[in-house]
Structure formats: structure tokens, C-alpha cells
Amino acid sequence: SLLVFFNPIKFGITFTFGNLLSLGSTAFLIGPKRQVTMMLDPARIYATAIYIASMIIALFSALYVHNKLLTLLALILEFGALIWYSLSYIPFARSMVSKIMLACFDTEF
């Protein structure tokens, strides 16, 4: 989308609030206690922490710092954390993606 490159601050705010709303909607569907329990499961505690931290960094860089490059980097981090967090709910998905990435980018010089 051209909005990402021409106005990453506006996109960052809407994308991050969209992610917060999606977390809230799943908490509404399964209950907040179960949502927090699932998010703090030992298998996904690090993915959850990175995902929430990336949302905070994106909002901070968009709303407080107003730096387009920093916001764009925070959005890339947030998108990667979102993918890794989502993969934590699919059995063996993170290990499969890790093996595929190692196979694709494993180069010896």
C-alpha cells in the first residue's frame, strides 16, 4: 500500500490499533482470563512479549516521536512479531517455518 510509504505514521496508528482490537475481540470470544492464560503459556510467552512490546514501540514512535523511518521499522517489527505470535497457536508451525528459513537462507561461503 502506498499509505505505508507516504504516511507510515497514520498507517502505524491504524495498524496497531487494529491489532489491539483483534486481541480484544479474541478475548471477547473466549474470555479475558482464558486469553491471558493462553498468551502467558510457556510455549508462547516470548512471542507474546515481543508482540506487545512491538505494538508499544510502534505507537510510541508514531504518536510521540513522529519519526517516519522509526515508525516504519517498528511496523516491520510488529508485523514479524504478529506472524510469529500467530504461528505459536498452530502446532509445530514455528519449528517448520524455522527449518524452512534455515534451508532457504543457509549459505556457506
Side-chain angles (χ1 to χ4, degrees), residues 40-77:
L40 297 178
D41 186 59
R44 67 180 61 91
I45 185 73
Y46 297 116
T48 301
I50 293 171
Y51 181 48
I52 291 174
S54 68
M55 286 191 288
I56 292 169
I57 291 168
L59 283 177
F60 179 77
S61 63
L63 294 173
Y64 184 70
V65 179
H66 298 290
N67 187 338
K68 290 182 179 182
L69 182 62
L70 186 61
T71 303
L72 191 59
L73 291 174
L75 285 174
I76 292 169
L77 174 70

Side-chain angles (χ1 to χ4, degrees), residues 73-89:
L73 291 174
L75 285 174
I76 292 169
L77 174 70
E78 183 178 350
F79 187 71
L82 171 65
I83 290 172
W84 196 251
Y85 174 76
S86 298
L87 288 175
S88 71
Y89 284 94

